[in-house]
């Protein structure tokens, strides 16, 4: 047999042998496509709709898949989502993150929600550290304007965190450990009753020692949700979340004129600064939703929410004007901010569906009360006696001692703003 005929025979035999495998994989691919089409989303239209039918560019992230792929941190839900760029924020990393939708230049152009309720921080910023990730079922990311549906802030896009519904009896536990004394435990309990009723309890504790002094944090998060049938056409759902986070704040490393990091006692892991910089936040989030089907075509929904957020932060800001390398001194400004925000949110919607016609109407109202205190610490005064300084804290970068603590112009937590 010629080499040409031998080659054709080998190819034919290979094709016959691999045909069943190709058919099986094609069936698997089709089944995966069906699963994708059956994914239900609500964010882009404010109503349940299959992902393939949504008239918007939307990505859906399943939190179980994220966890299996190593999801451990706020903003990880944006990994792999085309058209969305994110950067870790200040403080503990997932506070004040920068999220850009399709090249938008600021986070204020997007909106974050939990079950359709806006979750905005003290200064209109998204704070992913307020979100109860262990109770989230999926994350819906809309790339494009949805201001007509949600109002404020959703010019470039929106991220809606959908909480799990307790639809069965289940116990979930997860233990995680890592380097630098990192430990985390997650526990959730679910119990179903009735056709759509149920209750869920979820809790998280996290403890991180940090790779350097003043680099640790602790986190408590407790979440509970209940769904209750009030009749064949009426359902009530309610949840509450408590979050307590205490994060230490390490210092910035002082640099010499040549840009090299200056050596100081204790090495890279030691802390040089004033006091104990830290960031403490305590947050309550409660929500209630009542849904009633008036008829097959008309349904009503009423939502109410209350948030109470307390934050106390003490920071050291590097002061380049207070640097005296010849004397071994670096300068800092001591800053303290204590803020409380209380937010009441209410919304009512009506949806009418008949054939191909779908009409949604509603209104929402929000009231936010903010109390803020800002104080500064250091040697302060634009006089010869005070040294023409602005809350300067002089620190010996080798020993860490505060050198001007006994100066007559040195003040502690002097009030600058109280509103």
């Amino acid at each position: 047999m010629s080499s040409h005929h031998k080659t054709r025979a080998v190819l034919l035999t290979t094709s016959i042998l691999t045909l069943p495998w190709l058919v099986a994989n094609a069936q698997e691919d089709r089944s995966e496509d069906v699963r994708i089409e059956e994914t239900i989303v609500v964010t882009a239209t404010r109503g349940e709709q299959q992902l393939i039918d949504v008239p918007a560019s939307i990505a859906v992230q399943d939190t179980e898949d994220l966890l299996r792929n190593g999801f451990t941190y706020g903003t990880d839900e944006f990994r792999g989502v085309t058209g969305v760029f994110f950067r870790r924020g200040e403080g503990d990393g997932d506070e004040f993150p920068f999220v850009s939708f399709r090249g938008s230049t600021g986070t204020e152009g997007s909106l974050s929600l939990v079950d359709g309720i806006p979750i905005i921080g003290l200064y209109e910023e998204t704070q992913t550290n307020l979100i109860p990730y262990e109770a989230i079922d999926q994350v819906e990311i809309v790339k494009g304007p949805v201001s007509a549906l949600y109002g404020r802030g959703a010019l470039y896009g929106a991220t809606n965190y959908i909480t799990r519904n307790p639809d069965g009896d289940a116990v979930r536990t997860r233990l995680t450990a890592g380097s630098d004394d990192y430990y985390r435990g997650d526990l959730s309990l679910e119990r179903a009753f009735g056709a759509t009723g149920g209750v869920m309890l979820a809790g998280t504790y996290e403890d991180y020692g940090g790779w350097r002094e003043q680099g640790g944090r602790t986190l408590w998060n407790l979440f509970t949700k209940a769904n209750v049938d009030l009749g064949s056409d009426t359902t009530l759902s309610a949840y509450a979340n408590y979050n307590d986070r205490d994060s230490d704040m390490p210092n910035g490393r002082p640099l010499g004129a040549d840009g090299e990091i200056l050596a100081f006692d204790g090495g890279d892991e030691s802390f040089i600064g004033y006091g104990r910089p830290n960031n403490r936040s305590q947050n309550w989030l409660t929500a209630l939703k009542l849904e009633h089907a008036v008829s097959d075509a008309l349904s009503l929904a009423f939502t109410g929410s209350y948030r109470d957020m307390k934050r106390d932060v003490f920071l050291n800001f590097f002061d380049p004007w207070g640097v005296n390398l010849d004397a071994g001194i670096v300068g800092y400004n001591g800053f303290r901010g204590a803020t409380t925000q209380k937010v009441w949110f209410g919304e009512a919607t009506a949806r009418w569906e008949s054939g191909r016609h779908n009409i949604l109407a509603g209104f929402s109202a929000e009231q936010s009360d903010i109390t803020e205190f800002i104080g500064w610490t250091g040697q302060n005064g634009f006089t010869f006696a005070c040294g023409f300084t602005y809350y300067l804290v002089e620190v010996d970068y080798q020993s860490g001692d505060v050198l001007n603590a006994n100066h007559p112009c040195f003040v502690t937590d002097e009030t600058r703003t109280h509103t």
Side-chain angles (χ1 to χ4, degrees):
M1 181 183 294
S2 66
S3 60
H4 178 69
H5 287 90
K6 289 181 179 179
T7 301
R8 286 205 310 175
V10 170
L11 291 176
L12 180 61
T13 303
T14 304
S15 300
I16 294 174
L17 292 176
T18 57
L19 182 60
W21 180 85
L22 293 173
V23 172
N25 277 272
Q27 292 175 344
E28 290 179 3
D29 291 340
R30 283 197 297 271
S31 65
E32 290 180 357
D33 292 340
V34 171
R35 287 196 295 271
I36 292 175
E37 292 177 4
E38 291 179 349
T39 299
I40 303 298
V41 297
V42 298
T43 305
T45 59
R46 273 188 176 261
E48 292 188 354
Q49 195 170 7
Q50 289 186 1
L51 178 59
I52 196 173
D53 296 327
V54 175
S57 178
I58 183 170
V60 179
Q61 297 275 54
D62 183 273
T63 53
E64 289 298 322
D65 291 340
L66 289 171
L67 287 168
R68 281 192 293 269
N69 291 326
F71 167 78
T72 58
Y73 211 62
T75 65
D76 276 348
E77 63 270 26
F78 298 111
R79 292 190 180 277
V81 179
T82 58
V84 179
F85 167 80
F86 75 93
R87 184 178 67 242
R88 302 296 193 203
E90 307 171 5
D92 203 20
D94 55 354
E95 293 181 287
F96 311 119
F98 177 88
V99 182
S100 173
F101 285 74
R102 292 177 169 176
S104 61
T105 57
T107 302
E108 68 276 4
S110 63
L111 181 65
S112 291
L113 312 103
V114 173
D115 289 341
I117 300 172
I119 301 297
I120 299 298
L122 300 172
Y123 304 104
E124 294 298 303
E125 81 287 349
T126 297
Q127 289 185 292
T128 56
N129 63 333
L130 302 182
I131 297 169
Y133 282 105
E134 72 283 349
I136 299 299
D137 179 50
Q138 67 181 31
V139 184
E140 300 175 4
I141 304 168
V142 181
K143 294 169 282 186
V146 287
S147 297
L149 292 176
Y150 295 100
R152 45 91 70 82
L155 298 177
Y156 302 109
T159 306
N160 197 3
Y161 300 85
I162 310 297
T163 59
R164 294 202 312 265
N165 283 316
D167 54 4
D169 297 339
V171 178
R172 294 184 176 92
T173 60
R174 182 179 291 107
L175 297 175
T176 308
S179 58
D180 301 317
D181 296 324
Y182 176 81
Y183 305 97
R184 179 185 174 104
D186 298 275
L187 172 65
S188 66
L189 308 173
E190 295 183 29
R191 181 64 184 270
F193 51 85
T196 59
V199 63
M200 175 179 65
L201 300 173
T204 293
Y205 175 73
E206 182 179 276
D207 194 322
Y208 175 56
W211 71 271
R212 60 184 301 198
E213 189 179 354
Q214 282 292 118
R217 70 171 178 270
T218 58
L219 167 70
W220 279 98
N221 196 93
L222 302 174
F223 180 88
T224 181
K225 181 177 183 179
N227 294 338
V228 181
D229 291 325
L230 300 180
S232 59
D233 300 321
T234 306
T235 59
L236 175 69
S237 63
Y239 64 80
N241 185 73
Y242 173 71
N243 177 287
D244 189 311
R245 187 187 189 101
D246 191 357
S247 305
D248 292 332
M249 309 295 289
N251 62 288
R253 294 292 304 275
L255 301 178
D258 56 359
E260 294 295 325
I261 298 176
L262 299 176
F264 52 86
D265 290 351
D268 293 344
E269 297 182 1
S270 63
F271 170 75
I272 297 295
Y274 174 74
R276 178 184 173 259
N278 72 307
N279 186 357
R280 175 77 184 275
S281 63
Q282 295 174 295
N283 308 287
W284 277 99
L285 168 63
T286 60
L288 183 147
K289 185 173 185 178
L290 180 68
E291 297 176 283
H292 177 67
V294 179
S295 64
D296 292 338
L298 179 63
S299 60
L300 306 175
F302 304 92
T303 302
S305 174
Y306 172 72
R307 301 199 307 275
D308 188 314
M309 297 179 285
K310 294 182 175 65
R311 185 175 181 222
D312 192 331
V313 58
F314 176 65
L315 303 175
N316 285 185
F317 293 121
F318 179 70
D319 186 349
W321 301 103
V323 176
N324 186 345
L325 299 180
D326 294 335
I329 297 173
V330 291
Y332 295 97
N333 308 129
F335 169 87
R336 181 179 298 281
T339 311
T340 300
Q341 182 181 26
K342 299 180 179 181
V343 180
W344 293 263
F345 176 84
E347 180 180 80
T349 60
R351 181 181 293 274
W352 180 76
E353 298 179 86
S354 179
R356 298 177 60 186
H357 303 287
N358 187 335
I359 299 176
L360 174 69
F363 68 89
S364 63
E366 183 179 73
Q367 177 176 319
S368 178
D369 294 337
I370 300 176
T371 302
E372 182 178 53
F373 163 81
I374 293 178
W376 291 85
T377 294
Q379 179 181 326
N380 182 60
F382 288 89
T383 65
F384 286 102
C386 295
F388 297 95
T389 56
Y390 183 82
Y391 299 105
L392 173 64
V393 181
E394 294 181 329
V395 178
D396 186 315
Y397 68 76
Q398 288 188 322
S399 67
D401 295 335
V402 178
L403 303 178
N404 63 337
N406 295 322
H407 195 283
C409 296
F410 194 97
V411 295
T412 302
D413 284 345
E414 183 174 72
T415 302
R416 298 290 294 184
T417 302
H418 191 192
T419 58

